[in-house]
């Protein structure tokens, strides 16, 4: 899966950063510079991939 960082801007100016294709805490590392540029973080929703380790993802892909 490709790694992407998506920035969604609502009509009211509120922004949301979503990462895809990252495993574990690497999503935070990859998006940190964007979040810092956008300002204060008010909320965080962690996806299931955040709680996976690299080895778990490799095992899942091998089982597909």
């Amino acid at each position: 899966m490709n790694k992407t960082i998506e920035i969604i801007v609502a009509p009211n100016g509120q922004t949301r950063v979503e990462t895809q294709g990252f495993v574990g805490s690497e999503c935070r590392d990859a998006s940190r510079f964007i979040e810092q540029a956008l300002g204060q973080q008010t909320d965080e929703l962690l996806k299931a991939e955040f709680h996976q380790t690299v080895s778990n993802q490799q095992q899942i892909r091998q089982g597909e």
Side-chain angles (χ1 to χ4, degrees):
M1 175 180 247
N2 291 332
K3 295 178 179 180
T4 60
I5 300 173
E6 186 175 17
I7 303 168
I8 298 112
V9 181
N12 66 0
Q14 191 172 30
T15 58
R16 186 175 75 227
V17 176
E18 289 188 11
T19 59
Q20 296 181 4
F22 293 92
V23 177
S25 63
E26 69 176 352
C27 62
R28 280 183 173 157
D29 297 336
S31 63
R32 181 173 294 125
F33 74 99
I34 295 171
E35 293 172 358
Q36 289 174 344
L38 293 173
Q40 183 179 4
Q41 179 180 355
T42 57
D43 194 13
E44 182 176 45
L45 176 63
L46 300 175
K47 297 179 179 179
E49 293 85 358
F50 179 82
H51 302 288
Q52 291 179 335
T53 61
V54 174
S55 61
N56 283 347
Q57 186 182 35
Q58 290 173 345
Q59 290 175 353
I60 291 170
R61 286 187 179 174
Q62 290 174 353
E64 292 179 343

